[in-house]
Structures are given as structure tokens and as C-alpha cells.
Amino acid sequence: RIEGQKTIMIEMLHQLGWEIPDWVVVPGGNLGNSSAFGKAFDELKKIGFIDRVPKIAVIQAQGSNPFYRCFTEKKTLEPMHADTRATAIKIGNPVSWEKALFAVTSTGGVVEEVTEEEIAIAKSKLGADGVGSEPASATTVAGCRKLVARGVIKPSEKVICVLTGHVLK
């Protein structure tokens, strides 16, 4: 699975003409995607394909946010009972949290949480633009909007929001 996720980031960079985005925003459930993305960027930089790595932002639903709490409270991950409509990321004890923590911190990224309402608004906005997104994927857009509003992501920065599932999922 990690090799497949790394391939996705390589393909993304290829499609961007190897122009590195400032941020890659990804939903956070079991944290395998963010871990693999971080590994892909690290390897690409080490072999000279890219000269810098994008910051990784992991977005979790507020009712399923053990990684967010771990990151913001600067402590080890404490499992929780997950409760969110974003079922694809409804994981209270993510397996890959340590690797994801390394990916986020080594890229200078962040972890954010979004409410059910923020997820629903983002899903609606995506739908209005013709993109069928399931709730877990809409967390990336909700989180990106929140990070821009807080000044973490600058309006001038290039951002890739990864939607991991479609409306039929």
C-alpha cells in the first residue's frame, strides 16, 4: 500500500510539471496516506528529483481526532472512541500515527480538526462545483479553508487537497 501511495504523489508532481506545491492536505484516519506521502517526498528529495518538500497538513474530524490531540498537545497518541459521519476516517487508534507525525513535523506541516458542520459545508461546496465527494474527503477542503482563515496557509501558496474517495464510496 505504501508503494501505491508514493506513486500517487510522484504522479501528482509529474502532472504539475515537477512544480512543487507549498502544501498537500490529506484526510487523517489510519494515517497511512500521510505517512506514505511524507516518505515519497523525502525519497524524491534525497535522489534529487525535487529540491524541497511540500508541507503536509493532516485533517481529522473533531469526533475522531486522536492524532490532532497528539500533535497539538505535544504528547503520545491516546486512543479514543471515534464518532463522525466521515466514516472512512472514523478511526480512534490510527496504526501509522508515529510515521505520520514524522511526515508532518519533518515537512513543517500541521494537523487540524474540523467539525461535522465544516465537513458538510465543504462537501456541499465541492458538490456545487460538480465534484462528488464523500465526507472524509471533504475534510481536506474544510481543513484547508480553516488553515487559510487562520493564516497558516497563505492565499498565495499552491495547495493540493487530496480527496481519497468519491460520492459513491
Side-chain angles (χ1 to χ4, degrees):
R1 176 143 166 92
I2 286 177
E3 292 305 316
Q5 298 308 322
K6 286 175 16 183
T7 302
I8 290 169
M9 287 298 101
I10 293 168
E11 177 64 24
M12 177 200 72
L13 292 172
H14 182 260
Q15 288 181 18
L16 293 172
W18 297 98
E19 185 177 322
I20 311 304
D22 297 295
W23 291 88
V24 173
V25 184
V26 61
N30 217 17
L31 304 173
N33 287 340
S34 50
S35 301
F37 296 168
K39 184 174 172 88
F41 295 138
D42 181 59
E43 290 177 3
L44 288 169
K45 186 170 187 277
K46 282 180 180 171
I47 61 173
F49 269 68
I50 58 177
D51 60 357
R52 66 178 181 86
V53 297
K55 297 173 187 168
I56 295 176
V58 176
I59 313 299
Q60 290 200 297
Q62 193 173 54
S64 182
N65 66 355
F67 189 56
Y68 168 79
R69 290 184 292 121
C70 167
F71 184 81
T72 58
E73 297 169 12
K74 308 285 190 249
K75 60 182 182 182
T76 190
L77 186 125
E78 294 179 13
M80 65 177 290
H81 172 75
D83 183 26
T84 178
R85 289 188 184 137
T87 56
I89 59 170
K90 186 178 175 180
I91 299 169
N93 191 12
V95 173
S96 300
W97 75 270
E98 290 173 300
K99 291 176 185 174
L101 183 60
F102 179 78
V104 170
T105 56
S106 68
T107 64
V110 297
V111 181
E112 185 57 77
E113 67 176 353
V114 291
T115 66
E116 297 294 311
E117 182 180 2
E118 289 168 322
I119 294 168
I121 290 168
K123 186 177 180 329
S124 174
K125 289 185 180 293
L126 284 163
D129 287 337
V131 178
S133 166
E134 46 92 32
S137 289
T139 62
T140 60
V141 174
C144 183
R145 292 171 53 90
K146 194 172 199 174
L147 292 171
V148 169
R150 286 189 24 227
V152 175
I153 295 176
K154 308 294 182 245
S156 62
E157 292 181 304
K158 181 181 280 193
V159 180
I160 302 296
C161 290
V162 177
L163 279 66
T164 56
H166 53 78
V167 74
L168 300 176
K169 186 173 180 183

